[in-house]
Amino acid sequence: MIEINEVSYSYANASALNNISLSISRGEAIVLMGPNGSGKSTLLKLLNGIISPDRGVYKFDNEEITHKKLQDAKFSKLFHQKIGFVFQNSETQLFCADIFDEIAFEPRQMGMSESEVETRVNDCLDLLGIQSFKHRSPYHLSGGEKRKVALACVLSLNPDVLVLDEPMNGLDPRTQRWLVEFLVQLNKAGKTIITSTHNIELVKEISSRAILFDENHTIAADRPTEELLDDVELLIRVNLVDKYYQKR
Ligand code: ADP
Ligand code: MG
């Protein structure tokens, strides 16, 4: 479903992706791991069309995704219905005064009727167990609650692919556990899940395949998650863990 072929990307002067190739099939559960600044968030942004490759090709469902195509409103809408992005910082994702309107935003953008919008919003509130938030303001929620609202917003379009950037960050252990189980359920329901995370404890549960970035912004390994986690020498070499790291 996703094909990345020899893709490179730089910000002003900083290289962020260096000749990356990978493919992802429908229904996979994948984690991106790697030290800070290795390019995980940049790859996720590229997958979501927020940025486009400087070099190389990104294909989604056999169609090349380019900056030019994404500027076409119709194409962009269709693309964003297929792939949803949960940002690292939920605050930057939430901007309405009311949670109902927040979750309704994308469905309304897609031109759904107000009764369909209402059904979608209610389904998402139920799915995330946050019906009681419906008419609250996103600004007064805790970090975990905001993350749930951000997830509800993204799921409101029922995308095939869900991309999450460091979704465990800032969550308490119980909410992390909830999120792990939620992602596993979504994957079982057929969604493709791509998550970047630093949480080495939880990656086995949310993925069967792990892609490891190194400090040169290239892919150091692309392997079954369990196998990758067993290669402690490699994890130390790419600076994901330090030399005292103990496997559990
Ligand atoms: P990761 O998510 O793995 O921590 P990023 O994809 O955020 O890594 O960053 C990759 C590289 O690109 C880093 O060197 C980082 O400093 C740089 N970078 C990321 N975002 C920006 C930006 N908006 N402007 C300039 N440089 C950036
Ligand atoms: Mg990042």
Side-chain angles (χ1 to χ4, degrees):
M1 168 159 49
I2 287 174
E3 285 283 340
I4 297 274
N5 199 5
E6 298 185 355
V7 161
S8 297
Y9 183 84
S10 302
Y11 298 96
N13 290 315
S15 166
L17 296 175
N18 189 358
N19 205 24
I20 300 292
S21 298
L22 62 99
S23 51
I24 298 174
S25 306
R26 194 172 290 278
E28 279 200 277
I30 295 187
V31 291
L32 300 186
M33 294 196 288
N36 273 334
S38 57
K40 304 179 295 295
S41 296
T42 303
L43 179 60
L44 298 184
K45 283 190 230 166
L46 191 125
L47 291 176
N48 284 280
I50 297 168
I51 56 173
S52 306
D54 294 337
R55 276 200 308 280
V57 175
Y58 167 30
K59 282 190 188 168
F60 189 99
D61 279 347
N62 287 320
E63 167 140 33
E64 187 172 354
I65 307 300
T66 60
H67 180 66
K68 192 157 173 250
K69 282 190 198 164
L70 288 167
Q71 283 186 316
D72 177 66
K74 204 167 148 214
F75 181 87
S76 172
K77 269 189 189 176
L78 270 173
F79 178 66
H80 286 112
Q81 255 172 334
K82 293 187 201 162
I83 182 164
F85 190 21
V86 180
F87 287 67
Q88 179 158 12
N89 180 354
S90 303
E91 311 249 318
T92 57
Q93 192 146 15
L94 306 175
F95 49 85
C96 293
D98 180 83
I99 285 166
F100 183 93
D101 289 334
E102 191 75 64
I103 302 171
F105 184 81
E106 292 282 351
R108 282 175 179 149
Q109 285 288 101
M110 295 296 160
M112 288 179 201
S113 71
E114 205 49 30
S115 70
E116 196 176 346
V117 167
E118 183 143 2
T119 308
R120 288 260 177 155
V121 173
N122 280 319
D123 287 351
C124 287
L125 290 166
D126 286 340
L127 189 64
L128 286 140
I130 53 172
Q131 270 292 353
S132 62
F133 296 1
K134 194 166 177 176
H135 293 299
R136 288 175 62 185
S137 154
Y139 307 112
H140 300 146
L141 300 176
S142 73
E145 292 167 340
K146 279 183 187 145
R147 190 74 34 90
K148 287 186 181 179
V149 173
L151 265 163
C153 290
V154 168
L155 291 171
S156 67
L157 293 182
N158 196 22
D160 300 328
V161 184
L162 195 65
V163 173
L164 306 103
D165 197 358
E166 307 273 3
M168 306 296 171
N169 270 16
L171 300 184
D172 60 64
R174 199 183 305 130
T175 313
Q176 283 192 1
R177 173 54 45 198
W178 170 86
L179 182 56
V180 164
E181 281 162 16
F182 188 71
L183 294 178
V184 169
Q185 287 311 316
L186 285 177
N187 182 242
K188 278 197 184 139
K191 305 253 179 247
T192 308
I193 312 269
I194 306 169
T195 313
S196 80
T197 182
H198 266 95
N199 197 318
I200 228 167
E201 310 286 317
L202 298 175
V203 290
K204 265 189 215 175
E205 299 185 54
I206 58 168
S207 70
S208 50
R209 174 179 165 200
I211 296 173
L212 179 66
F213 278 80
D214 62 23
E215 291 171 302
N216 299 319
H217 317 291
T218 61
I219 293 176
D222 181 348
R223 293 195 211 153
T225 308
E226 300 228 2
E227 203 184 296
L228 187 108
L229 292 179
D230 279 340
D231 194 344
V232 175
E233 233 172 80
L234 173 67
L235 301 183
I236 295 171
R237 182 151 32 91
V238 301
N239 193 23
L240 188 72
V241 299
D242 72 15
K243 62 183 176 181
Y244 298 112
Y245 172 72
Q246 293 282 331
K247 229 178 5 181
R248 282 223 303 209

